PDB file of all heavy atoms in Angstrom:
ATOM      1  N   ALA A 708      91.297 127.421 106.322  1.00  0.00           N
ATOM      2  CA  ALA A 708      91.280 125.962 106.338  1.00  0.00           C
ATOM      3  C   ALA A 708      91.011 125.440 104.927  1.00  0.00           C
ATOM      4  O   ALA A 708      91.626 124.441 104.485  1.00  0.00           O
ATOM      5  CB  ALA A 708      90.242 125.465 107.307  1.00  0.00           C
ATOM      6  N   LEU A 709      90.144 126.063 104.203  1.00  0.00           N
ATOM      7  CA  LEU A 709      89.872 125.672 102.796  1.00  0.00           C
ATOM      8  C   LEU A 709      91.122 125.811 101.929  1.00  0.00           C
ATOM      9  O   LEU A 709      91.421 124.972 101.137  1.00  0.00           O
ATOM     10  CB  LEU A 709      88.755 126.484 102.190  1.00  0.00           C
ATOM     11  CG  LEU A 709      87.307 126.130 102.697  1.00  0.00           C
ATOM     12  CD1 LEU A 709      86.338 127.149 102.284  1.00  0.00           C
ATOM     13  CD2 LEU A 709      86.894 124.687 102.134  1.00  0.00           C
ATOM     14  N   ALA A 710      91.802 126.942 102.117  1.00  0.00           N
ATOM     15  CA  ALA A 710      93.008 127.203 101.306  1.00  0.00           C
ATOM     16  C   ALA A 710      94.083 126.121 101.578  1.00  0.00           C
ATOM     17  O   ALA A 710      94.863 125.812 100.691  1.00  0.00           O
ATOM     18  CB  ALA A 710      93.547 128.579 101.604  1.00  0.00           C
ATOM     19  N   ARG A 711      94.127 125.597 102.788  1.00  0.00           N
ATOM     20  CA  ARG A 711      95.159 124.635 103.183  1.00  0.00           C
ATOM     21  C   ARG A 711      94.714 123.169 102.877  1.00  0.00           C
ATOM     22  O   ARG A 711      95.513 122.231 102.992  1.00  0.00           O
ATOM     23  CB  ARG A 711      95.478 124.770 104.647  1.00  0.00           C
ATOM     24  CG  ARG A 711      96.184 126.017 105.041  1.00  0.00           C
ATOM     25  CD  ARG A 711      96.606 126.009 106.536  1.00  0.00           C
ATOM     26  NE  ARG A 711      95.524 125.833 107.423  1.00  0.00           N
ATOM     27  CZ  ARG A 711      94.747 126.833 107.911  1.00  0.00           C
ATOM     28  NH1 ARG A 711      94.967 128.085 107.520  1.00  0.00           N
ATOM     29  NH2 ARG A 711      93.763 126.578 108.759  1.00  0.00           N
ATOM     30  N   THR A 712      93.464 122.984 102.528  1.00  0.00           N
ATOM     31  CA  THR A 712      92.927 121.629 102.321  1.00  0.00           C
ATOM     32  C   THR A 712      93.495 120.984 101.075  1.00  0.00           C
ATOM     33  O   THR A 712      93.424 121.557 100.011  1.00  0.00           O
ATOM     34  CB  THR A 712      91.365 121.676 102.234  1.00  0.00           C
ATOM     35  OG1 THR A 712      90.853 122.173 103.428  1.00  0.00           O
ATOM     36  CG2 THR A 712      90.822 120.262 102.057  1.00  0.00           C
ATOM     37  N   GLY A 713      94.088 119.827 101.253  1.00  0.00           N
ATOM     38  CA  GLY A 713      94.632 119.120 100.126  1.00  0.00           C
ATOM     39  C   GLY A 713      93.946 117.762 100.002  1.00  0.00           C
ATOM     40  O   GLY A 713      93.338 117.274 100.952  1.00  0.00           O
ATOM     41  N   PHE A 714      94.072 117.189  98.846  1.00  0.00           N
ATOM     42  CA  PHE A 714      93.426 115.921  98.590  1.00  0.00           C
ATOM     43  C   PHE A 714      94.461 114.927  98.058  1.00  0.00           C
ATOM     44  O   PHE A 714      95.192 115.249  97.109  1.00  0.00           O
ATOM     45  CB  PHE A 714      92.270 116.055  97.625  1.00  0.00           C
ATOM     46  CG  PHE A 714      91.359 117.191  97.955  1.00  0.00           C
ATOM     47  CD1 PHE A 714      91.386 118.365  97.321  1.00  0.00           C
ATOM     48  CD2 PHE A 714      90.488 117.027  99.010  1.00  0.00           C
ATOM     49  CE1 PHE A 714      90.518 119.385  97.616  1.00  0.00           C
ATOM     50  CE2 PHE A 714      89.645 118.039  99.364  1.00  0.00           C
ATOM     51  CZ  PHE A 714      89.611 119.234  98.628  1.00  0.00           C
ATOM     52  N   ALA A 715      94.503 113.762  98.606  1.00  0.00           N
ATOM     53  CA  ALA A 715      95.418 112.739  98.129  1.00  0.00           C
ATOM     54  C   ALA A 715      94.677 111.408  98.198  1.00  0.00           C
ATOM     55  O   ALA A 715      93.917 111.114  99.100  1.00  0.00           O
ATOM     56  CB  ALA A 715      96.668 112.675  98.980  1.00  0.00           C
ATOM     57  N   PRO A 716      94.900 110.563  97.118  1.00  0.00           N
ATOM     58  CA  PRO A 716      94.334 109.222  97.127  1.00  0.00           C
ATOM     59  C   PRO A 716      94.808 108.427  98.339  1.00  0.00           C
ATOM     60  O   PRO A 716      95.997 108.487  98.631  1.00  0.00           O
ATOM     61  CB  PRO A 716      94.779 108.639  95.839  1.00  0.00           C
ATOM     62  CG  PRO A 716      95.183 109.810  94.963  1.00  0.00           C
ATOM     63  CD  PRO A 716      95.680 110.826  95.928  1.00  0.00           C
ATOM     64  N   GLN A 717      93.926 107.678  98.883  1.00  0.00           N
ATOM     65  CA  GLN A 717      94.261 106.785 100.043  1.00  0.00           C
ATOM     66  C   GLN A 717      93.790 105.390  99.647  1.00  0.00           C
ATOM     67  O   GLN A 717      92.746 105.231  99.028  1.00  0.00           O
ATOM     68  CB  GLN A 717      93.503 107.241 101.322  1.00  0.00           C
ATOM     69  CG  GLN A 717      93.828 108.680 101.753  1.00  0.00           C
ATOM     70  CD  GLN A 717      95.280 108.796 102.223  1.00  0.00           C
ATOM     71  OE1 GLN A 717      95.790 107.917 102.875  1.00  0.00           O
ATOM     72  NE2 GLN A 717      95.892 109.905 101.881  1.00  0.00           N
ATOM     73  N   VAL A 718      94.511 104.404 100.084  1.00  0.00           N
ATOM     74  CA  VAL A 718      94.127 103.003  99.883  1.00  0.00           C
ATOM     75  C   VAL A 718      92.839 102.766 100.628  1.00  0.00           C
ATOM     76  O   VAL A 718      92.670 103.131 101.806  1.00  0.00           O
ATOM     77  CB  VAL A 718      95.204 102.023 100.348  1.00  0.00           C
ATOM     78  CG1 VAL A 718      94.778 100.580 100.306  1.00  0.00           C
ATOM     79  CG2 VAL A 718      96.457 102.178  99.477  1.00  0.00           C
ATOM     80  N   ASP A 719      91.835 102.147 100.008  1.00  0.00           N
ATOM     81  CA  ASP A 719      90.589 101.806 100.615  1.00  0.00           C
ATOM     82  C   ASP A 719      90.737 100.525 101.329  1.00  0.00           C
ATOM     83  O   ASP A 719      90.710  99.443 100.745  1.00  0.00           O
ATOM     84  CB  ASP A 719      89.485 101.721  99.509  1.00  0.00           C
ATOM     85  CG  ASP A 719      88.187 101.387 100.055  1.00  0.00           C
ATOM     86  OD1 ASP A 719      88.005 101.323 101.297  1.00  0.00           O
ATOM     87  OD2 ASP A 719      87.228 101.225  99.273  1.00  0.00           O
ATOM     88  N   ARG A 720      90.895 100.621 102.655  1.00  0.00           N
ATOM     89  CA  ARG A 720      91.149  99.468 103.522  1.00  0.00           C
ATOM     90  C   ARG A 720      89.875  98.611 103.694  1.00  0.00           C
ATOM     91  O   ARG A 720      89.955  97.448 104.102  1.00  0.00           O
ATOM     92  CB  ARG A 720      91.737  99.886 104.808  1.00  0.00           C
ATOM     93  CG  ARG A 720      93.009 100.669 104.660  1.00  0.00           C
ATOM     94  CD  ARG A 720      94.123 100.283 105.599  1.00  0.00           C
ATOM     95  NE  ARG A 720      95.252 101.130 105.467  1.00  0.00           N
ATOM     96  CZ  ARG A 720      96.285 100.921 104.678  1.00  0.00           C
ATOM     97  NH1 ARG A 720      96.232  99.836 103.921  1.00  0.00           N
ATOM     98  NH2 ARG A 720      97.304 101.678 104.607  1.00  0.00           N
ATOM     99  N   SER A 721      88.758  99.201 103.362  1.00  0.00           N
ATOM    100  CA  SER A 721      87.496  98.477 103.577  1.00  0.00           C
ATOM    101  C   SER A 721      87.193  97.547 102.417  1.00  0.00           C
ATOM    102  O   SER A 721      86.347  96.639 102.509  1.00  0.00           O
ATOM    103  CB  SER A 721      86.339  99.450 103.770  1.00  0.00           C
ATOM    104  OG  SER A 721      86.066 100.202 102.620  1.00  0.00           O
ATOM    105  N   ALA A 722      87.904  97.757 101.334  1.00  0.00           N
ATOM    106  CA  ALA A 722      87.620  96.896 100.146  1.00  0.00           C
ATOM    107  C   ALA A 722      88.329  95.590 100.252  1.00  0.00           C
ATOM    108  O   ALA A 722      89.549  95.484 100.451  1.00  0.00           O
ATOM    109  CB  ALA A 722      88.114  97.651  98.879  1.00  0.00           C
ATOM    110  N   GLY A 723      87.579  94.521 100.133  1.00  0.00           N
ATOM    111  CA  GLY A 723      88.143  93.198 100.190  1.00  0.00           C
ATOM    112  C   GLY A 723      88.443  92.728  98.758  1.00  0.00           C
ATOM    113  O   GLY A 723      87.959  93.286  97.782  1.00  0.00           O
ATOM    114  N   ALA A 724      89.234  91.659  98.647  1.00  0.00           N
ATOM    115  CA  ALA A 724      89.586  91.140  97.377  1.00  0.00           C
ATOM    116  C   ALA A 724      88.317  90.683  96.636  1.00  0.00           C
ATOM    117  O   ALA A 724      87.493  89.992  97.184  1.00  0.00           O
ATOM    118  CB  ALA A 724      90.598  89.988  97.480  1.00  0.00           C
ATOM    119  N   VAL A 725      88.209  91.095  95.390  1.00  0.00           N
ATOM    120  CA  VAL A 725      87.043  90.675  94.560  1.00  0.00           C
ATOM    121  C   VAL A 725      87.490  89.702  93.453  1.00  0.00           C
ATOM    122  O   VAL A 725      86.677  89.260  92.704  1.00  0.00           O
ATOM    123  CB  VAL A 725      86.329  91.897  93.976  1.00  0.00           C
ATOM    124  CG1 VAL A 725      85.667  92.697  95.076  1.00  0.00           C
ATOM    125  CG2 VAL A 725      87.225  92.726  93.117  1.00  0.00           C
ATOM    126  N   ARG A 726      88.758  89.487  93.385  1.00  0.00           N
ATOM    127  CA  ARG A 726      89.324  88.587  92.391  1.00  0.00           C
ATOM    128  C   ARG A 726      90.253  87.638  92.991  1.00  0.00           C
ATOM    129  O   ARG A 726      90.871  87.898  94.049  1.00  0.00           O
ATOM    130  CB  ARG A 726      90.023  89.385  91.284  1.00  0.00           C
ATOM    131  CG  ARG A 726      89.085  90.295  90.477  1.00  0.00           C
ATOM    132  CD  ARG A 726      89.801  91.210  89.541  1.00  0.00           C
ATOM    133  NE  ARG A 726      91.104  90.678  89.117  1.00  0.00           N
ATOM    134  CZ  ARG A 726      91.568  90.751  87.896  1.00  0.00           C
ATOM    135  NH1 ARG A 726      90.897  91.406  86.983  1.00  0.00           N
ATOM    136  NH2 ARG A 726      92.764  90.263  87.604  1.00  0.00           N
ATOM    137  N   ALA A 727      90.471  86.523  92.347  1.00  0.00           N
ATOM    138  CA  ALA A 727      91.399  85.494  92.882  1.00  0.00           C
ATOM    139  C   ALA A 727      92.800  85.928  92.981  1.00  0.00           C
ATOM    140  O   ALA A 727      93.572  85.497  93.841  1.00  0.00           O
ATOM    141  CB  ALA A 727      91.305  84.248  91.972  1.00  0.00           C
ATOM    142  N   ASP A 728      93.210  86.941  92.168  1.00  0.00           N
ATOM    143  CA  ASP A 728      94.632  87.451  92.210  1.00  0.00           C
ATOM    144  C   ASP A 728      94.845  88.495  93.304  1.00  0.00           C
ATOM    145  O   ASP A 728      95.948  89.044  93.389  1.00  0.00           O
ATOM    146  CB  ASP A 728      95.050  87.958  90.847  1.00  0.00           C
ATOM    147  CG  ASP A 728      94.272  89.197  90.420  1.00  0.00           C
ATOM    148  OD1 ASP A 728      93.460  89.736  91.190  1.00  0.00           O
ATOM    149  OD2 ASP A 728      94.440  89.631  89.274  1.00  0.00           O
ATOM    150  N   GLY A 729      93.829  88.743  94.110  1.00  0.00           N
ATOM    151  CA  GLY A 729      93.955  89.707  95.223  1.00  0.00           C
ATOM    152  C   GLY A 729      93.625  91.122  94.920  1.00  0.00           C
ATOM    153  O   GLY A 729      93.648  91.976  95.843  1.00  0.00           O
ATOM    154  N   SER A 730      93.219  91.414  93.703  1.00  0.00           N
ATOM    155  CA  SER A 730      92.838  92.786  93.345  1.00  0.00           C
ATOM    156  C   SER A 730      91.534  93.128  94.076  1.00  0.00           C
ATOM    157  O   SER A 730      90.632  92.307  94.195  1.00  0.00           O
ATOM    158  CB  SER A 730      92.657  92.923  91.827  1.00  0.00           C
ATOM    159  OG  SER A 730      92.130  94.174  91.502  1.00  0.00           O
ATOM    160  N   THR A 731      91.479  94.405  94.492  1.00  0.00           N
ATOM    161  CA  THR A 731      90.229  94.871  95.199  1.00  0.00           C
ATOM    162  C   THR A 731      89.369  95.758  94.320  1.00  0.00           C
ATOM    163  O   THR A 731      88.508  96.447  94.801  1.00  0.00           O
ATOM    164  CB  THR A 731      90.617  95.607  96.490  1.00  0.00           C
ATOM    165  OG1 THR A 731      91.364  96.757  96.172  1.00  0.00           O
ATOM    166  CG2 THR A 731      91.364  94.717  97.486  1.00  0.00           C
ATOM    167  N   VAL A 732      89.628  95.732  92.995  1.00  0.00           N
ATOM    168  CA  VAL A 732      88.893  96.588  92.066  1.00  0.00           C
ATOM    169  C   VAL A 732      87.721  95.817  91.468  1.00  0.00           C
ATOM    170  O   VAL A 732      87.935  94.821  90.814  1.00  0.00           O
ATOM    171  CB  VAL A 732      89.793  97.143  90.935  1.00  0.00           C
ATOM    172  CG1 VAL A 732      89.001  97.942  89.974  1.00  0.00           C
ATOM    173  CG2 VAL A 732      90.935  97.952  91.532  1.00  0.00           C
ATOM    174  N   ASP A 733      86.518  96.348  91.675  1.00  0.00           N
ATOM    175  CA  ASP A 733      85.348  95.791  91.032  1.00  0.00           C
ATOM    176  C   ASP A 733      85.026  96.756  89.856  1.00  0.00           C
ATOM    177  O   ASP A 733      84.663  97.929  90.089  1.00  0.00           O
ATOM    178  CB  ASP A 733      84.150  95.739  92.011  1.00  0.00           C
ATOM    179  CG  ASP A 733      82.880  95.267  91.340  1.00  0.00           C
ATOM    180  OD1 ASP A 733      82.794  95.074  90.152  1.00  0.00           O
ATOM    181  OD2 ASP A 733      81.899  95.145  92.108  1.00  0.00           O
ATOM    182  N   ILE A 734      85.214  96.320  88.612  1.00  0.00           N
ATOM    183  CA  ILE A 734      85.110  97.189  87.472  1.00  0.00           C
ATOM    184  C   ILE A 734      83.713  97.882  87.401  1.00  0.00           C
ATOM    185  O   ILE A 734      83.670  99.060  87.120  1.00  0.00           O
ATOM    186  CB  ILE A 734      85.432  96.436  86.189  1.00  0.00           C
ATOM    187  CG1 ILE A 734      86.891  96.007  86.188  1.00  0.00           C
ATOM    188  CG2 ILE A 734      85.103  97.227  84.918  1.00  0.00           C
ATOM    189  CD1 ILE A 734      87.308  95.172  85.016  1.00  0.00           C
ATOM    190  N   ASP A 735      82.663  97.143  87.650  1.00  0.00           N
ATOM    191  CA  ASP A 735      81.351  97.735  87.550  1.00  0.00           C
ATOM    192  C   ASP A 735      81.156  98.836  88.626  1.00  0.00           C
ATOM    193  O   ASP A 735      80.637  99.921  88.317  1.00  0.00           O
ATOM    194  CB  ASP A 735      80.253  96.671  87.725  1.00  0.00           C
ATOM    195  CG  ASP A 735      80.175  95.683  86.596  1.00  0.00           C
ATOM    196  OD1 ASP A 735      80.591  96.063  85.440  1.00  0.00           O
ATOM    197  OD2 ASP A 735      79.817  94.507  86.785  1.00  0.00           O
ATOM    198  N   SER A 736      81.581  98.560  89.825  1.00  0.00           N
ATOM    199  CA  SER A 736      81.454  99.532  90.893  1.00  0.00           C
ATOM    200  C   SER A 736      82.305 100.774  90.638  1.00  0.00           C
ATOM    201  O   SER A 736      81.877 101.937  90.788  1.00  0.00           O
ATOM    202  CB  SER A 736      81.873  98.883  92.230  1.00  0.00           C
ATOM    203  OG  SER A 736      81.858  99.827  93.297  1.00  0.00           O
ATOM    204  N   GLU A 737      83.571 100.571  90.125  1.00  0.00           N
ATOM    205  CA  GLU A 737      84.427 101.719  89.834  1.00  0.00           C
ATOM    206  C   GLU A 737      83.839 102.529  88.715  1.00  0.00           C
ATOM    207  O   GLU A 737      83.893 103.756  88.763  1.00  0.00           O
ATOM    208  CB  GLU A 737      85.821 101.226  89.487  1.00  0.00           C
ATOM    209  CG  GLU A 737      86.612 100.608  90.566  1.00  0.00           C
ATOM    210  CD  GLU A 737      86.882 101.519  91.777  1.00  0.00           C
ATOM    211  OE1 GLU A 737      87.182 102.671  91.544  1.00  0.00           O
ATOM    212  OE2 GLU A 737      86.706 101.043  92.913  1.00  0.00           O
TER     213      GLU A 737
END
């Protein structure tokens, strides 16, 4: 199972927009 385990980035659906332009990235948190 470990040998088959892969990792891929997934969109964080729990993150809400933190900027007026709709971006969900908080620079300090990141």
Side-chain angles (χ1 to χ4, degrees):
L709 284 167
R711 293 185 302 272
T712 301
F714 309 105
Q717 303 291 320
V718 172
D719 181 2
R720 304 222 183 273
S721 67
V725 294
R726 295 173 27 142
D728 66 5
S730 175
T731 61
V732 177
D733 177 354
I734 293 175
D735 293 333
S736 176
E737 292 301 316

